[in-house]
Amino acid sequence: MTVLKRILNYLIWTILAVIAAFSYMRIILGAKSIDSNGFAKIANIIYDLAFVQIGLILGSIIAIIYILIDIFYLSNRLKNTKKSTIIRLLVIFVIAVIIVITHYVLEKVIDII
């Protein structure tokens, strides 16, 4: 039962990480075009593809790093209280910010991506 509870807990944190990544991609890509001509339809397909693909990749990276930190460090230090949930939320937020900054630097500054 504890294994199932732990998997469900990590699933919730993974969903939160993916939501954070999708939020970042929405900020980077901006609003979707509403035009109905041929080029706009192709642009909307590319927008959707980039939004989902990069959002899922960044969300997966955030989730994997969070799960590793939680397994090896946080689970030993924190007990299941309201304060530990806030600390875990802050940890996932910090990881998301670090991943977002890294993605921005690689994409815009160094131009690798």
Side-chain angles (χ1 to χ4, degrees):
M1 186 66 175
T2 59
V3 173
L4 183 61
K5 187 176 178 182
R6 195 167 188 163
I7 289 172
L8 183 62
N9 189 15
Y10 287 139
L11 179 66
I12 292 170
W13 288 110
T14 301
I15 290 170
L16 185 65
V18 170
I19 289 172
F22 280 153
S23 301
Y24 166 68
M25 289 308 299
R26 175 74 170 130
I27 292 170
I28 291 295
L29 292 176
K32 195 175 190 180
S33 138
I34 302 175
D35 294 334
S36 63
N37 60 14
F39 180 72
K41 288 181 183 178
I42 294 172
N44 283 337
I45 291 171
I46 293 172
Y47 175 90
D48 291 338
L49 181 66
F51 184 79
V52 171
Q53 186 176 6
I54 304 302
L56 286 176
I57 290 171
L58 290 176
S60 299
I61 292 170
I62 294 167
I64 289 171
I65 292 172
Y66 169 76
I67 290 171
L68 289 175
I69 288 173
D70 189 55
I71 289 173
F72 292 118
Y73 185 73
L74 293 177
S75 63
N76 296 334
R77 303 278 185 207
L78 300 174
K79 301 296 178 198
N80 289 334
T81 62
K82 192 172 189 175
K83 190 174 183 180
S84 68
T85 305
I86 293 172
I87 292 173
R88 284 186 165 98
L89 188 61
L90 287 174
V91 167
I92 204 164
F93 179 73
V94 169
I95 293 169
V97 168
I98 291 171
I99 297 298
V100 162
I101 290 171
T102 304
H103 178 262
Y104 182 80
V105 167
L106 290 176
E107 183 178 6
K108 302 290 183 184
V109 178
I110 302 176
D111 199 23
I112 293 176
I113 300 176

